[in-house]
């Protein structure tokens, strides 16, 4: 694979993950999930790459498969990349589209919903769920397996024992509460990879997922699939 293709793929991955990525020592069969890309981020990278290359997604839909390894992503980039010198300069519309793509990529890079979190937990992905509320609220009810780190108590000392390898998912009540945002910001400032759980504990329960604690709910009987996987 050419250096240009690998450098371009690295740019897309850095944009999606929000951090520098060194692909040079990684073999082509490296799973994208080990780099921190879940299924939504992988699709986002693929779509952005194809749009930048001017590819009609409908025209090539039957021949495109969501990449699962670096080699897969290299192959897609190599197939569709053109000489940048031959591409026309972007118009005002293309810049607006680029801005939109950047915005939605950032949302996917920094947020996660309860369905994707449950899937990631079921798959055994390397992540840590962090409850940023008070310890009393945590004891009353929390997401199974979550650790309690009240956002007001976060400091370099309180984080010293935590590994920076996993992805951390911060949450709070989710109803008019920004404790998860404050928790995510403090963790990110300290060098951790973080996503914020959309809707917090409230939406987690509304989606029918179980909780732990003195006021825990078992798996909800009226759980309704949101249909996002369709």
């Amino acid at each position: 694979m050419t250096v240009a293709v690998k450098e371009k793929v690295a740019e897309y991955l850095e944009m999606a993950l929000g951090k520098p990525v060194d692909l040079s020592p990684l073999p082509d069969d490296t799973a994208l999930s080990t780099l921190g890309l879940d299924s939504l981020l992988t699709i986002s990278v693929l779509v952005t790459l194809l749009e930048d290359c001017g590819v009609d997604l409908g025209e090539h839909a039957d021949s495109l498969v969501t990449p699962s390894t670096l080699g897969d992503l290299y192959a897609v980039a190599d197939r569709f990349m053109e000489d940048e010198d031959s591409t026309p300069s972007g118009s005002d519309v293309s810049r607006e589209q680029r801005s939109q793509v950047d915005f939605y990529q950032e949302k996917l890079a920094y947020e996660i919903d309860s369905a994707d979190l449950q899937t990631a937990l079921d798959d055994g992905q390397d992540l840590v769920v962090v409850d940023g509320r008070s310890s009393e609220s945590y004891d009353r009810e929390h997401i199974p397996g979550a650790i309690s780190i009240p956002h007001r108590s976060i400091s370099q000392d309180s984080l010293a024992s935590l590994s920076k390898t996993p992805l951390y998912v911060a949450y709070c009540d989710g109803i008019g509460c920004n404790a998860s945002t404050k928790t995510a910001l403090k963790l990110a400032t300290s060098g951790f990879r973080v996503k914020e759980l959309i809707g917090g504990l409230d939406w987690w329960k509304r989606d029918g997922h179980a909780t732990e604690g003195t006021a825990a709910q078992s798996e909800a009987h009226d759980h309704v699939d949101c249909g996002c996987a369709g």
Side-chain angles (χ1 to χ4, degrees), residues 8-189:
K8 202 64 179 178
V9 167
E11 289 180 14
Y12 288 116
L13 293 179
E14 289 176 359
M15 188 185 306
L17 296 171
K19 64 175 184 178
V21 175
D22 182 12
L23 301 181
S24 56
L26 302 178
D28 287 3
D29 61 356
T30 299
L32 295 177
S33 59
T34 64
L35 300 177
L37 271 74
D38 56 22
S39 57
L40 287 177
L41 272 182
T42 299
I43 292 173
S44 174
V45 169
L46 177 62
V47 170
T48 302
L49 187 157
L50 295 175
E51 288 181 344
D52 284 354
C53 293
V55 176
D56 185 333
L57 298 181
E59 180 182 346
H60 295 276
D62 293 339
S63 64
L64 288 173
V65 177
T66 303
S68 61
T69 67
L70 276 177
D72 295 339
L73 201 52
Y74 290 150
V76 174
D78 186 53
R79 175 182 173 187
F80 294 108
M81 274 180 56
E82 296 180 358
D83 186 352
E84 293 185 358
D85 292 336
S86 66
T87 44
S89 57
S91 64
D92 290 338
V93 174
S94 65
R95 284 196 294 271
E96 180 181 351
Q97 291 174 336
R98 179 72 261 169
S99 179
Q100 286 183 313
V101 170
D102 290 344
F103 172 76
Y104 291 118
Q105 276 192 325
E106 287 185 0
K107 284 179 68 67
L108 291 175
Y110 305 131
E111 295 179 343
I112 188 171
D113 63 23
S114 57
D116 285 338
L117 176 56
Q118 184 65 71
T119 298
L121 292 171
D122 291 342
D123 291 345
Q125 294 184 23
D126 191 11
L127 58 81
V128 177
V129 182
V130 179
D131 189 316
R133 305 171 301 154
S134 67
S135 56
E136 293 78 14
S137 295
Y138 173 85
D139 290 340
R140 185 167 56 252
E141 189 174 24
H142 58 267
I143 293 175
I147 62 174
S148 175
I149 310 180
H151 73 90
R152 297 181 187 278
S153 71
I154 294 179
S155 65
Q156 291 298 327
D157 290 338
S158 66
L159 300 178
S161 63
L162 298 179
S163 168
K164 292 186 178 179
T165 301
L167 171 67
Y168 287 77
V169 176
Y171 78 91
C172 60
D173 282 331
I175 309 174
C177 176
N178 63 3
S180 60
T181 304
K182 293 176 179 177
T183 301
L185 176 60
K186 291 181 178 180
L187 287 171
T189 302

